[in-house]
Structure formats: structure tokens, C-alpha cells
Amino acid sequence: MEENTESQLVTSRSVGIRYGIIFGLISIFYFLIFTMADIDMSKGISRWGTTVIAFVIVFLAHKFFKENGDGFMSYGQGIGIGFWTGLTASVISSIFTYIYVKFIDDGFVTKIRDKAIEDMQAQGQSEEQIEIAMKYVEMFTNAEALLFFGLVIGMITLVIVALIITIFTQKPKPEQFV
């Protein structure tokens, strides 16, 4: 009887929130390392690193769910875990990024904008084209926009990761014959 109560405590939401907190903290650490080292996070391994970490986190969350539950996980439960992981991690990391950009490092946004200008110049765009494009860059590179897009993109990314990982990690309950 006690074992049944234990398995009921493990839900896709509780596991997702647990692993979302872990992923949110890892994301903050990852962000700080690359920011302090002044490494461009839009290129190379630094760009895809958080996605790789997301795959690992969702896999581990699914494993935890099955090991601490009844041993089974439906496709829907796997997606639910990914949703809750994404929601929790996105809230944590986006709020941190907002605070960092708004109150700690006001030069962070300037670096992003300067990099955008450099990239456009390297592509051979005219000053007029750069000026027009920079109006949009400025609109999307303030603390509030980074908060919003961090939440939205983080959620979408984790749900997509969960859609993929769950294909391999699901273990549906065998159907009972009546």
C-alpha cells in the first residue's frame, strides 16, 4: 500500500518542475560562464550547448519518472514532463537574464547591437539598410524583449525536445484484456 502512495506522488508536473529548476540553474551558470569569458553565444558549440543540455535533462527527467513511478510513461506524460521542465527553466533563466541585463550589465545589450552592426557590415549592407535594420534590432534587444522571448523560445524548444525524446523514452502500460 505504501508503494502505491509513493508512485502517486510522482507526476509529470512534479518531475518537470524538479528538472526545470535544475535546468534553469544550469542555464544561468552556462550564461554566466560564456558572458564572463566574453564568448559569442550565437556561434559554434556555445549556440547549441543549451539544446544539448535540454536533451540530457529531459532524458533524465523521463528516467526519473519511470524509476520512481510504476515503471511506465505514456507519450503524453513525456510531453507533460517536457512542458513543465520548459516552463520552469524558462521562467528561472529569463527572470535572471532580465535582472542581469536591466540592473547588472547595461553593456550586454550594447554588445549585441554592436555585433549586429558588424555582421551586417560584413554582409556588405549599406548604411541605410543597417540603419533600418537597427530599428528592429533595438526593438528586440531590450531587457523586456529578452524576458519575453526567453520565456517563449525556451518553452517551444523544450516541448520540441520532449516531442523527440519521448519517442524513444516512452514505455506505455500494457493493455489489459477483459
Side-chain angles (χ1 to χ4, degrees):
M1 186 76 167
E2 189 175 314
E3 187 176 317
N4 190 19
T5 306
E6 187 72 30
S7 68
Q8 290 175 351
L9 296 176
V10 179
T11 64
S12 56
R13 182 179 1 179
S14 67
V15 172
I17 291 171
R18 169 189 281 227
Y19 280 84
I21 292 169
I22 293 167
F23 187 41
L25 295 174
I26 289 171
S27 296
I28 290 169
F29 184 69
Y30 187 86
F31 172 82
L32 287 174
I33 287 174
F34 283 94
T35 301
M36 298 303 170
D38 201 27
I39 296 173
D40 183 6
M41 291 178 64
S42 66
K43 294 182 180 173
I45 193 161
S46 58
R47 178 179 182 176
W48 298 104
T50 54
T51 306
V52 170
I53 295 168
F55 273 93
V56 171
I57 290 291
V58 171
F59 174 80
L60 293 174
H62 287 178
K63 184 175 183 251
F64 180 86
F65 181 82
K66 290 185 288 187
E67 288 175 352
N68 292 283
D70 59 4
F72 300 102
M73 182 184 74
S74 69
Y75 192 77
Q77 288 171 317
I79 302 305
I81 291 168
F83 169 81
W84 287 107
T85 302
L87 178 64
T88 307
S90 296
V91 166
I92 291 169
S93 62
S94 295
I95 289 173
F96 174 81
T97 303
Y98 174 81
I99 292 168
Y100 182 83
V101 170
K102 190 80 170 180
F103 304 108
I104 298 171
D105 185 2
D106 56 353
F108 184 80
V109 170
T110 305
K111 288 179 191 176
I112 294 172
R113 293 175 181 168
D114 291 345
K115 177 78 171 99
I117 291 171
E118 286 176 27
D119 291 346
M120 287 183 271
Q121 287 172 338
Q123 294 171 359
Q125 294 185 13
S126 69
E127 289 300 318
E128 183 179 308
Q129 290 172 317
I130 292 173
E131 187 178 316
I132 292 168
M134 285 309 293
K135 288 179 185 176
Y136 292 101
V137 170
E138 289 172 12
M139 203 172 15
F140 295 112
T141 56
N142 59 59
E144 292 76 17
L146 293 174
L147 173 68
F148 174 76
F149 289 115
L151 289 170
V152 172
I153 292 170
M155 282 293 308
I156 291 170
T157 301
L158 261 292
V159 169
I160 291 170
V161 166
L163 286 167
I164 296 167
I165 291 290
T166 307
I167 292 169
F168 304 103
T169 59
Q170 68 179 324
K171 187 175 179 185
K173 290 181 182 177
E175 294 187 31
Q176 300 291 330
F177 293 103
V178 179

